[in-house]
Amino acid sequence: MSATNNTYKRLSLFTGTGERKYLNEAERDRFLKAIPVLKNPIEQTYCEMLFWTGCRVSEALALTHQHIDLEERMIIIRSLKKRSKQKGSHYRPVPIPDHFADRLNQVHSVGLHHMTGSVDKLWGFSRTTAWQRISKVMHAAQIHGAMGCGKGLRHSYGVHAALKGIPETRIKKWLGHEHLETTSIYLDVAGPEDRAIAERMWT
């Protein structure tokens, strides 16, 4: 077995002790509703960006006004984990809901910055500050443990997309995975998610 295959084998939605690494549907809902615990709208939109796109903490921090496509309702995310020649130069478009695009425009004046050609970052704070803001929302939403972090939001995006029947190849594209083997972990759902799938057989 190759080293690459070994890497895929280690990927899991659960810790070594069986703790879930992703937010389930109820936790996702609580996280979104808890975001207003952050009083600064700019900090709120940061957490919303992670929720609606599944991007990595650093990928969100790297976004500028020019990466927001208001016409297409897309976020153009620079994939930070690509290897070889694609490293740092690969971009992936991720669709967002209309209401979130409108909110980004309202809070960050995206349209105005487009006209001026500004390349300022949407969020000027550090990774440490980003983690602190995510943790504050998680705490308010009563989400603790391995899933209560930015990575937990990313995993929950993948699981949520899989549960909604989004094609695996599309999830791969939106999350910026290099191989489908990585994306396939989101089909390995458990708990209430398994029950939701099983109910298709019972009805």
Side-chain angles (χ1 to χ4, degrees):
M1 181 178 290
S2 69
T4 301
N5 287 335
N6 280 331
T7 300
Y8 293 143
K9 187 175 182 179
R10 287 195 297 270
L11 291 174
S12 174
L13 289 175
F14 301 90
T15 67
T17 58
E19 185 179 4
R20 184 164 37 85
K21 293 182 182 178
Y22 64 94
L23 280 66
N24 61 28
E25 292 297 296
E27 290 163 343
R28 278 176 58 83
D29 185 59
R30 294 208 307 271
F31 179 88
L32 189 61
K33 289 179 178 177
I35 288 178
V37 73
L38 302 174
K39 302 308 179 184
N40 187 335
I42 291 177
E43 295 178 350
Q44 292 174 5
T45 57
Y46 178 78
C47 289
E48 291 166 4
M49 180 65 71
L50 299 181
F51 181 90
W52 290 115
T53 68
C55 68
R56 300 175 178 90
V57 168
S58 294
E59 289 176 338
L61 290 177
L63 291 172
T64 72
H65 296 88
Q66 302 305 319
H67 292 134
I68 312 302
D69 189 332
L70 293 177
E71 289 291 330
E72 295 294 331
R73 302 312 212 199
M74 293 276 189
I75 306 297
I76 312 303
I77 299 172
R78 181 185 179 192
S79 297
L80 297 181
K81 286 210 170 180
K82 290 293 183 181
R83 297 179 176 85
S84 65
K85 294 181 179 179
Q86 284 191 320
K87 188 172 184 179
S89 62
H90 180 273
Y91 292 85
R92 64 185 192 271
V94 180
I96 56 172
D98 288 345
H99 65 80
F100 182 46
D102 292 339
R103 178 158 165 75
L104 286 172
N105 192 28
Q106 177 186 26
V107 174
H108 297 274
S109 301
V110 175
L112 178 62
H113 283 85
H114 280 185
M115 288 189 292
T116 62
S118 169
V119 291
D120 291 341
K121 290 184 178 180
L122 293 171
W123 300 284
F125 44 77
S126 66
R127 284 169 58 93
T128 299
T129 299
W131 291 328
Q132 289 172 345
R133 299 304 179 266
I134 295 166
S135 294
K136 186 172 183 177
V137 178
M138 290 289 184
H139 181 76
Q142 298 184 332
I143 301 169
H144 309 287
M147 75 285 288
C149 61
K151 194 64 175 288
L153 278 174
R154 179 170 167 80
H155 284 323
S156 78
Y157 178 92
V159 171
H160 180 72
L163 288 172
K164 295 299 182 180
I166 303 300
E168 189 175 3
T169 52
R170 193 60 56 183
I171 301 173
K172 170 182 176 292
K173 175 184 176 182
W174 292 346
L175 286 175
H177 291 157
E178 197 161 1
H179 303 285
L180 272 176
E181 289 88 340
T182 304
T183 312
S184 66
I185 68 169
Y186 298 112
L187 304 182
D188 183 24
V189 292
E193 288 74 21
D194 257 352
R195 184 174 182 85
I197 291 174
E199 284 178 352
R200 298 176 190 171
M201 299 187 297
W202 303 337
T203 57

